[in-house]
């Protein structure tokens, strides 16, 4: 059985999901792949992991890098999980590219190259937005491409993080 909990954010409603112990999903209402891995049968419930996640979100949306991560259980293919681990390594306020993610995975696997599009597909199916920071991935030219929550949210999140981290970006 999976459990859900709704919470508010400066960017709209967020749906949280849990297996009862760990966070299994965090989606902006209406985003692409919304609740894609959520069990058909689930119920609304207050859980400690939801309290922790809301604390994490409150810190994050106040411009702080939370010093903890709620427990998470990822549902996905081994490749998707590998990509999501890469996302967790992107520092607060910084960005990387789909190509760099693909290069990192290829290098670890001992491959010459890997498709940036395959990495991008896995990034887009990230089930725990914000905490696993898929919004920090940009196109090779620095353009804001692809974000399941919408490009306006991605732009807002990156601007908030850069301001909080004191990073100035010149275009």
């Amino acid at each position: 059985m999976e459990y859900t909990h709704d919470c508010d954010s400066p960017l709209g409603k967020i749906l949280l999901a849990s297996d009862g112990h760990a966070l299994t999903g965090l989606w902006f209402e209406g985003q692409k792949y919304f609740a894609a891995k959520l069990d058909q049968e689930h119920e609304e419930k207050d859980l400690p992991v939801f309290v922790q996640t809301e604390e994490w979100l409150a810190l994050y949306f106040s411009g702080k890098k939370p010093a903890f991560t709620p427990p998470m259980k990822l549902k996905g293919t081994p490749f998707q999980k590998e990509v999501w681990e890469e996302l967790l390594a992107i520092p607060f306020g910084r960005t990387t590219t789909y190509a760099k993610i693909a290069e990192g995975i290829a290098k670890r696997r001992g491959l010459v190259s890997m498709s940036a599009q395959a990495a991008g597909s896995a990034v887009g199916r990230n089930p725990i937005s914000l905490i696993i920071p898929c919004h920090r991935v940009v196109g090779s030219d620095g353009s804001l491409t692809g974000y399941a929550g919408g490009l306006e949210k991605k732009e807002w999140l990156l601007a908030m993080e850069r301001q909080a981290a004191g990073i100035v970006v010149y275009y």
Side-chain angles (χ1 to χ4, degrees):
M1 170 67 79
E2 262 191 306
Y3 305 97
T4 59
H5 178 76
D6 290 312
C7 61
D8 292 317
S9 83
L11 296 175
K13 285 218 176 281
I14 291 176
L15 177 67
L16 305 177
S18 172
D19 62 3
H21 305 286
L23 192 66
T24 58
L26 187 160
W27 305 275
F28 284 108
E29 187 174 85
Q31 81 174 48
K32 190 174 183 180
Y33 308 117
F34 178 77
K37 300 281 184 181
L38 185 62
D39 289 345
Q40 287 288 346
E41 292 188 34
H42 57 274
E43 67 180 61
E44 180 85 14
K45 189 172 183 178
D46 290 326
L47 296 170
V49 70
F50 293 148
V51 172
Q52 287 179 302
T53 303
E54 286 195 279
E55 288 172 5
W56 190 99
L57 290 168
L59 287 167
Y60 176 78
F61 281 119
S62 71
K64 297 179 177 87
K65 180 182 182 259
F68 68 96
T69 302
M72 298 184 291
K73 183 176 180 183
L74 297 170
K75 297 180 189 177
T77 67
F79 176 72
Q80 288 173 329
K81 290 177 182 180
E82 196 171 357
V83 169
W84 301 335
E85 286 296 323
E86 285 282 317
L87 298 178
L88 286 167
I90 307 168
F92 183 88
R94 301 289 180 181
T95 59
T96 193
T97 66
Y98 299 97
K100 286 182 182 174
I101 289 171
E103 287 171 19
I105 292 171
K107 184 177 181 179
R108 264 195 319 287
R109 290 182 170 191
L111 302 172
V112 174
S113 66
M114 176 168 285
S115 165
Q117 288 80 9
S121 178
V123 168
R125 285 174 175 75
N126 168 21
I128 303 179
S129 296
L130 301 174
I131 296 173
I132 299 176
C134 52
H135 61 280
R136 295 181 188 151
V137 184
V138 298
S140 291
D141 62 357
S143 61
L144 300 185
T145 61
Y147 182 59
L151 289 181
E152 62 286 340
K153 285 183 176 82
K154 182 174 189 164
E155 186 173 15
W156 188 95
L157 293 166
L158 292 174
M160 180 274 294
E161 286 187 16
R162 286 179 178 141
Q163 181 180 13
I167 298 169
V168 178
V169 178
Y170 298 100
Y171 294 98

